[in-house]
Amino acid sequence: MNADERAQLIADLTVALQAVPKKELTEEEMQWVRLAIAAEARKIKFRDAVIEKSLTGLVWACVVGIGYVFMDFLQNRGFKL
């Protein structure tokens, strides 16, 4: 493809794209899009909260487990608790 053909292709594409009617969303469609975006944001916030709570529970389980092992260690060494 040489420069003249490329220029003609660009001109043809420009004319074809201008001939396509622009479709605006209706108010109902816009409302649906806004609601869909809001629902997706709520899902993301919920997922983040679940992950945060799960990690917090895991950390507390580790703390309790380490404490239990330490207490068992002390009891096996003769300390009265």
Side-chain angles (χ1 to χ4, degrees), residues 65-80:
I66 290 170
Y68 179 76
V69 168
F70 185 69
M71 297 258 313
D72 189 47
F73 173 79
L74 291 178
Q75 285 178 350
N76 287 335
R77 300 291 183 250
F79 290 100
K80 301 276 181 176

Side-chain angles (χ1 to χ4, degrees), residues 4-20:
D4 292 334
E5 291 173 338
R6 188 175 308 122
Q8 183 62 34
L9 177 65
I10 291 171
D12 290 343
L13 287 175
T14 304
V15 170
L17 288 174
Q18 290 174 350
V20 175

Side-chain angles (χ1 to χ4, degrees), residues 8-77:
Q8 183 62 34
L9 177 65
I10 291 171
D12 290 343
L13 287 175
T14 304
V15 170
L17 288 174
Q18 290 174 350
V20 175
K22 294 180 181 178
K23 183 173 188 297
E24 296 289 328
L25 295 178
T26 65
E27 188 59 38
E28 184 179 321
E29 292 169 333
M30 291 290 282
Q31 182 181 6
W32 185 88
V33 169
R34 286 187 202 107
L35 290 174
I37 291 170
E40 190 65 28
R42 282 193 307 273
K43 288 178 191 177
I44 290 170
K45 286 170 72 175
F46 177 75
R47 185 185 67 216
D48 290 345
V50 168
I51 291 170
E52 179 186 350
K53 302 298 187 263
S54 298
L55 290 175
T56 302
L58 182 64
V59 168
W60 276 111
C62 288
V63 168
V64 169
I66 290 170
Y68 179 76
V69 168
F70 185 69
M71 297 258 313
D72 189 47
F73 173 79
L74 291 178
Q75 285 178 350
N76 287 335
R77 300 291 183 250

